[in-house]
Amino acid sequence: AAGRIAIIGAGIAGLACARALTDAGLPVTLFDKARGPGGRMSSRRRPDAIIDLGAQAFSARDPAFIAELDAWRRAGCAERWPTHAYRASNAGWQRLSDDRERFTGAPRMSAITRHLAQTLAARGTALHAGTRVSALERHADGWQIRTDAGAAFGPYTEVVVAVPPPQAEPLVQPWDNTLDALCQRLEQRACWAGWAIFAAPLPVPDGVTESWQQAHLQHPALRLVSRNQTKPGREHQPESLSLLAHTEWSEAHLEDDAEHVAMTLISALKALFPASQPLPELVDHGAHRWLYAQPAEPLAAMPDAGFALGHAGLSLCGDGLRGGRVEEAWLSGHRLGQTLAGCA
Ligand code: FAD
């Protein structure tokens, strides 16, 4: 069992960590409760369109992440997404100047994490999908992983917990007071993410002379509209919108049903257009609730390293440890992996 490492969570952080460890020749096994990898970089396939339900786009600042993004672009799973963004309210639309380059997965956000998982599989790294880890156990020969289906895996010399801190907390709580206290301090906020697919393009708002990709709203419920059919590789899709709600509104409506949430977000969209510009026919809609969408501000509670090393081979990474963005989540996992491999 010497050197075997388990990673719980196959979001971008867990995958980046696995990649850094396998680069150093260390054997890794991944576990994720979802049907596949990706976590909050997931996309939803609908009959008419693919919708990004979590991260909508990302930017790149750190040289290591820029190099990784270049590799994704060469592999064809990420592309630049030229965006014209607007601030929109029923009082009018104003162009937001934003000169930062933005990228998305191509032809969907989940293409990136799928590519990473496939690269790892080609190196012999197993991903146990649909496997929710319910407890860790420490034995004389190392860590054992228990699943909610009653299965046991192990032993492992190291366990990396790459899930949001509130979900990591019950796993580390029996074994590490410091990691447990850290998880309790690192709050994650919720977000309802709706979608709406229309039979025809949206009307052109007054004063908007170019095609637009994103609108930031001044509305109590709806925060951001992204047009999925403007993303690279999805030009054939009909008008297909991601509709993200504000944190405060999401948390006040956590228990609402998804249908009601979707319709509230769609009426907020409708209110952006005058009565003379009705929305086209709605062909599909829905909403997904992210309980742990992004870390709460301020970030003062986050460890400086952007990951946390505990006792006896237990460690934490993920956006909750570094910042609520794709780049930060990747860096958290990548740096932890390099540290565990002894090459940081
Ligand atoms: P996750 O992606 O959450 O991965 C954790 C994984 O652990 C999940 O796959 C989960 O299924 C699994 N898991 C959890 N518990 C268990 C368990 N007990 N056993 C097994 N598996 C478990 N970032 C940007 O940069 N730009 C954006 O525009 C942007 N927009 C966003 C919009 C929304 C609506 C959301 C939700 C997020 C957005 N983000 C954005 C943030 C970005 O998506 C995250 O920071 C990043 O994807 C987090 O990656 P992660 O690997 O840390 O966590």
Side-chain angles (χ1 to χ4, degrees), residues 22 114-127:
T22 57
R114 174 168 303 219
H115 163 74
L116 293 177
Q118 281 168 351
T119 311
L120 286 163
R123 298 170 172 201
T125 299
L127 163 62

Side-chain angles (χ1 to χ4, degrees), residues 237-302:
Q237 290 189 184
E239 185 78 69
S240 35
L241 309 178
S242 301
L243 303 168
L244 302 195
H246 283 286
T247 302
E248 291 69 25
W249 188 89
S250 299
E251 291 182 347
H253 294 83
L254 274 187
E255 303 307 328
D256 287 12
D257 71 69
E259 167 69 20
H260 178 72
V261 168
M263 290 320 292
T264 305
L265 298 175
I266 292 165
S267 5
L269 173 76
K270 190 170 162 192
L272 292 177
F273 299 91
S276 59
Q277 290 190 314
L279 294 183
E281 182 200 346
L282 185 62
V283 293
D284 186 15
H285 65 281
H288 175 82
R289 184 184 71 173
W290 295 103
L291 264 185
Y292 305 116
Q294 271 170 312
E297 307 280 344
L299 312 177
M302 288 177 185

